[in-house]
Amino acid sequence: MMIALRPFRGLTTAVTGHLARSFCAGADFFSSKRVRGTFVDFFQQNHGHKVVPSSPVRPRGDPSLLFVNAGMNQFKPIFLGVADPRSEMASYRRVVNSQKCVRAGGKHNDLEDVGRDVYHHTFFEMLGNWSFGDYFKEEACSMAWCLLTEHYGIRPERLYVSYFAGDAASGLPADEETRQIWLDIGVPPDRLLPFGLQQNFWEMGDSGPCGPCTEIHYDHVGGRNAAALVNSDSPDLVEIWNLVFMQYNREEDQSLRLLPQFSVDTGMGLERLVTLLQGKRSNYDTDLFTPLLHAIQERSRVGGYQGRTGGADEGQVDLAYRVVADHIRTLAVCIADGVYPGMSGPELVLRRILRRAVRFCVEVLQAPQGTLASLVPTVAHILGDAYPELRSETDAIMDVVNENEAQFLSSLQQGRRVMDTALQRMDRRDLFPATVAWSLHRNLGFPLDLVDLMLEDRGVTVDRTELDQLITQHEERCLDLQAALQTPVALDVHSLAALRQRGIAHTDDRPKYQYSLEGRDRYAFPPCSATVQALYCGQTLVSEVAEGQRCGVVLDRTCFYAEQGGQSHDQGYFTRDGLQDVLYPVEAVMLAGGFVVHQVTAADTLKTGDQVTLHLDQAQRLACMVKHTATHILNFTLRQVLGPRVQQRGSHVAADRLRFDFSVKGSLSISQLQEIESNIKNIIAANQTVYTQEVPLDRARTIPGLRTVDEVYPDPVRVVSVAKPVAELLDAQTDGQTSVELCCGTHLLTTGAIEDLVIVSERQMVKGISRIVAVTGDQARQAREAGQVLVQDVDSLSARLAASAPSCLPTAQRLAKEAGGLTDAVDNTPIPQWQRRELQSRLKALQRTTNTAVRKLETKEAAVKAQTLLERNRQKMLVVDTVDADSLSIVVKTVNQVSAGAPDRLVMLLSHQKHSGKVLCACQVPKGLASLSASDWATAVCRHLGGAAGGSTSVAKGTGSSSDITEALRWAEEYARRKTQL
């Protein structure tokens, strides 16, 4: 059925002839590049929009998001009114772009769905146009319809439009304005459909800008009236464009207020639009994916991609094609933007994505190792015009993917053996042991969803109840690891004597230093094999431990670093020869009398004389190496900036941060903190070599500029220096002006891997001793980003206060609350400490300004209320009355004003907060009144109201709650009359 739409008013109909006749001319004409370019050009050239590049996929200082997941993310400062007034962003009125988005992890998580259908993605592009206080509904709808029907040539009869139907409970009317706009454009009434809050009212979060939206839907089938399929999750009729009209603000109390400036925020998924314009039903059949699918096929040992889903997809081959094609796009984009696979936050999500892709690539597609990285140039070819960083970073992306793939494949082989061994031991009808699944996750780094997938392939499911318990227990241990762990297995004097009597040699722990640098920043840790020399249960020496027993293991040699010198112990596990698929997790490592004790919970029997292989948690070790070398550089730089009198008073190095205590008269100044960070950055940027050498202790002490602490050092002792070889420093007669320390810790081989260092805290622990806490690498970068966001927020508040003083109390209170909120954020967010000090100083002044304004306006309001009360209670010696006030401060000020006007009267005022039932109470009695004190009066009344109060004999205040304010007033008056006989 063909429906004639009214011509589009006021817009050109000069469209390419064949586009008007058919909605697309095929992939050759509407390539994804052209679709993207047409969108941007339409708004830039025809409607004066500014093209703003896509932001990186890591949110800019927004801890509420793991990744940028919508086009509007980078414009949140504008919507929230916190954009720096001096920034270019503050000048934006009309904007257009194509934004890189990732939806994996967090609230919006499509990871588990990717591959199972033909339209979910972890990475996608969002085409969007915005108006910030410029055009609104009519222009937005007109532009959208023109672009779709004239420039893209989509047949109008294939399109359906939804609009907001209103919501009586929220007091929101139907968006009849938008409905009429669409009718005027020519959309038939039966294709213009109302929907409620869930479908057609968009909100940024629990509070903030929001508004009705109108959505344009496309019918892939055509030749029918498919209005009933709109918003029904039908693959035949899909939403293609969402136009949001931000006209309200959701307040903290969930009420809605009109925004002072209306905005438009639209979003249209590029992948879905390209599918439509290229005449396809699957996103994977478009030129955004077909080159990738072809490249995968060339490298795999299975048949070509056929687009099958569900049960028709035998062996999940097509699912694997889709997973790999999608995930390599996400990996390439994220890594190019500086998000690398890691162990927490977005890095952990990316690690899961990579491992999921590797698993499907190797196991299902039977592609050789390196296939995943080899797809990166294809991604760069497809997306590089829009995002040139993909081309410039291609080699770096491939290196990261290859390195992580190699690490995971090693773990995958072992994990498969562990799983198969467990399956052989169990009845097929049983649930898979949660302890084994958790071991795969905790020790080998398997995402739990990957464990589920591997078990699904084998027709088995994990014991979910027990697994959830293990996860909960792990989270509890993380909150307070030391409290959760049992007493460490430590060797006492008798235990050590028993070892010596048996002729057991001290543990050779030199392998902990045996690592090398491959390339600029990739460290290789060789495997380490050892023999079990002794086993301890408690303090008892035993020859064998059983499965589940917690014990101390002494080996003849180890590559594990024991906790000492302020550096955290290594983590990892070891396996027993002949039982490689059973993992013995190492929970702690301690050094006692030359013996290294590994605290272990036995996963199977373990005997003296067993041969084991040690597996180091390389990421944790490397993180400690970064922090330890950074600590040495910090120590040296402190002496440079503050002088030679600075002495180290303690330190601790962990994977996530470093702590350094030192002697100094007072807290460091802003300029000193800035100079320290600047000097450290210079050393990092120079990528200086870190040298180590064992030297006789007496000779080591002769090195000029050597930093030592009050500690018993071994002899010979290990010397660690930066930039200059130890031998050169030994022969020097003067201070080498470099970092040189006696240290047993593990260090980087060059300083560049530190990347950056930010001091996030510096305070005096006791007078004369300061403590610095610092972070490095990605955490340092995130701290700097968070600092810049807070600077913009404070600048915005300062500019608004400078522009005009608040004229009414609600405005002043809101500004004071904002200043308080920013103060809390500045105090508690990890940002550069020098920046924190600057912002704290500024916020202190702003807080004074807003508080002064609040006090003045409260006093003014109280004076008006007091006058009314005095007139109403002119003849009364006992004044018990209500006052309309939002805060206890105003109630107190009003009481003061009434008492000032009538000093011989007893005054109590109650303010009933009807929305909450809370009652605010304040009172004042004449000085010298013996029969009744203000504190007794207020306490009695507030207790009667289920609350509490306090104060002095003449003035008091408190709170309670009541649904009947009249009864409360009566009770308060009767109490005072009984006491005073008035």
Side-chain angles (χ1 to χ4, degrees), residues 154-231:
I154 299 175
R155 292 175 180 171
E157 62 267 21
R158 291 285 189 99
L159 299 176
Y160 296 77
V161 179
S162 64
Y163 68 96
F164 181 51
D167 185 76
S170 303
L172 289 168
D175 191 0
E176 292 294 336
E177 179 186 2
T178 297
R179 179 178 182 274
Q180 189 59 50
I181 290 169
W182 286 119
L183 289 172
D184 291 344
I185 286 173
V187 177
D190 62 347
R191 294 179 180 237
L192 186 54
L193 310 167
F195 286 92
L197 281 171
Q198 185 173 354
Q199 295 87 0
N200 280 86
F201 194 88
W202 187 91
E203 304 204 39
M204 184 182 296
D206 293 334
S207 61
C210 57
C213 63
T214 182
E215 296 175 332
I216 303 173
H217 305 254
Y218 177 79
D219 180 14
H220 279 285
V221 177
R224 59 179 180 166
N225 189 322
L229 296 179
V230 172
N231 284 333

Side-chain angles (χ1 to χ4, degrees), residues 72 75-82 131-137 172 201-204 207-212 244-252 255-265 814:
M72 56 75 61
F75 303 117
K76 282 177 72 172
I78 301 178
F79 292 126
L80 296 173
V82 298
S131 164
F132 306 114
D134 194 328
Y135 60 82
F136 202 46
K137 296 180 180 179
L172 289 168
F201 194 88
W202 187 91
E203 304 204 39
M204 184 182 296
S207 61
C210 57
V244 180
F245 306 124
M246 292 202 197
Q247 60 191 84
Y248 299 104
N249 191 71
R250 178 73 72 181
E251 303 293 313
E252 294 293 340
S255 64
L256 290 168
R257 294 180 61 190
L258 285 175
L259 289 167
Q261 171 181 286
F262 290 1
S263 297
V264 174
D265 164 20
R814 187 173 69 252

Side-chain angles (χ1 to χ4, degrees), residues 377-391:
T378 307
V379 176
H381 172 73
I382 298 169
L383 301 176
D385 287 343
Y387 311 112
E389 63 273 13
L390 289 169
R391 287 192 173 131

